[in-house]
Amino acid sequence: MTLEAGMCSNGHVSYPTHPLCPECGEPQEETFDLSDRTGEVVTWTHSTATPPGVREPNTLAIVEFDITDVDGASDEFVRALGQVTTDEVETGDTVEPVYVEELRDPDAGIKVPESQDWDGYRWDPV
């Protein structure tokens, strides 16, 4: 599992990646990894009505990654939504992505566990 953002030839960056840029419609030809960066919590919430197999409560945050060092990027940041490793998070906190093998219980729900990936990243306060 990767935490990749996509960039088109016009320098627009989005997460997750898309075949075509959501801003201008050009193909996203480059990707770069966000998993080795830190980001800042823009906003967060505690979800208490979670889908089957998802922890309850489930703390989620929108995190902003500074991408001013990415060659060719016209955007200054890219945002990503994800689970947080703890319930103790505040707006402005610095977080880092941490890989987890299961974001939810693959045996809960209606999908066959082998039908999809269950791994991904959570935000961990630094």
Side-chain angles (χ1 to χ4, degrees):
M1 171 59 82
T2 60
L3 189 63
E4 287 187 333
M7 184 169 64
C8 73
S9 59
N10 292 320
H12 304 133
V13 178
S14 66
Y15 174 82
T17 59
H18 302 276
L20 299 177
C21 174
E23 190 165 334
C24 69
E26 292 296 316
Q28 285 194 334
E29 299 168 343
E30 292 184 51
T31 61
F32 58 93
D33 192 8
L34 298 173
S35 68
D36 58 354
R37 297 171 176 264
T38 59
E40 182 178 317
V41 174
V42 176
T43 189
W44 59 273
T45 189
H46 294 295
S47 174
T48 56
T50 61
V54 176
R55 64 190 179 168
E56 188 178 317
N58 187 27
T59 302
L60 302 166
I62 296 176
V63 173
E64 186 172 272
F65 292 92
D66 180 339
I67 56 167
T68 54
D69 64 326
V70 175
D71 289 338
S74 63
D75 297 323
E76 295 181 4
F77 62 85
V78 64
R79 291 180 175 176
L81 171 67
Q83 296 178 347
V84 183
T85 60
T86 177
D87 291 337
E88 302 299 320
V89 66
E90 296 294 332
T91 300
D93 283 355
T94 299
V95 296
E96 63 184 358
V98 291
Y99 176 79
V100 293
E101 289 187 18
E102 291 182 355
L103 290 172
R104 63 189 294 176
D105 180 1
D107 295 322
I110 60 173
K111 291 196 174 192
V112 176
E114 296 77 27
S115 70
Q116 66 186 60
D117 294 328
W118 301 95
D119 62 339
Y121 288 85
R122 286 188 177 131
W123 314 134
D124 192 33
V126 177

